[in-house]
Amino acid sequence: MVHKPLRKHPRTAALAAAAILVVAPTAAGCGDDNGGGAQQSPTATAPTAQNQPSDPAAARQEVQKNWVAFFDPKTPVEEKTRLLENGDRMRPVLQAFSGNPQAAQTSVKVKNVAFTSPTQADVTYDLLVGGQPALPDSKGTAVHQQDTWKVSVKTMCALVELSPNATTVPGC
């Protein structure tokens, strides 16, 4: 069988990357307190003082840094747990895909962060596989929880739902 490079089939590569997130269907759950796992659409609102953190520049930098670290295959599971909303509940899923060879090729490039409240932001990012955009201009959300800007559970669940072999993960 001949294997073709992932960059020639970016959609297939993206689905393969998303599939790494569903290797543990018995996970403790990936729902948030608000329920629903649908991918968020960005809200087109002009920034105001009431829908931004007190220091938007520092918050934006933290969102970008934490998203890159969360999707970096070299980041230890303990750190990923800290960077994911309700991460302790998601530890089994994070542990399951941490050793996956496809996970080792997956990363993100954050392109934009738009705050929708002092504790939430819409994030536009490229999901990269082997350094190549597999899902460009993807939409997700970040949440401020326990004094840290984190990848939202909704974002992770949206990626899980992309897998062609997606199984129901409780809470997604």
Side-chain angles (χ1 to χ4, degrees):
M1 178 157 96
V2 176
H3 293 282
K4 296 181 181 177
L6 291 176
R7 78 186 85 163
K8 288 186 179 180
H9 301 285
R11 184 72 176 161
T12 301
L15 294 175
I20 65 172
L21 298 175
V22 294
V23 295
T26 59
C30 64
D32 63 5
D33 294 334
N34 299 324
Q39 193 167 354
Q40 298 278 319
S41 298
T43 305
T45 58
T48 65
Q50 61 201 51
N51 70 351
Q52 293 202 37
S54 58
D55 186 349
R60 185 171 287 107
Q61 184 177 21
E62 184 181 349
V63 168
Q64 291 173 333
K65 178 181 86 103
N66 290 351
W67 271 58
V68 169
F70 177 79
F71 285 97
D72 184 338
K74 294 178 187 139
T75 301
V77 171
E78 278 305 311
E79 181 67 7
K80 287 180 187 245
T81 300
R82 192 183 72 74
L83 298 175
L84 178 64
E85 177 186 23
N86 303 326
D88 286 337
R89 290 192 317 195
M90 291 301 299
R91 188 181 314 272
V93 173
L94 296 173
Q95 288 173 326
F97 76 82
S98 68
N100 186 297
Q102 291 173 323
Q105 298 178 37
T106 305
S107 61
V108 299
K109 176 184 177 187
V110 175
K111 298 171 81 175
N112 188 46
V113 177
F115 295 102
T116 57
S117 80
T119 60
Q120 294 189 345
D122 290 330
V123 180
T124 303
Y125 64 99
D126 289 345
L127 182 69
L128 308 173
V129 176
Q132 300 297 317
L135 288 176
D137 296 321
S138 296
K139 306 291 184 200
T141 55
V143 296
H144 193 254
Q145 184 183 59
Q146 299 168 327
D147 294 324
T148 303
W149 280 98
K150 301 178 179 193
V151 174
S152 73
V153 171
K154 286 182 181 183
T155 299
M156 185 156 179
C157 288
L159 289 171
V160 168
E161 290 172 4
L162 287 176
S163 171
N165 301 318
T167 58
T168 302
V169 176
C172 280

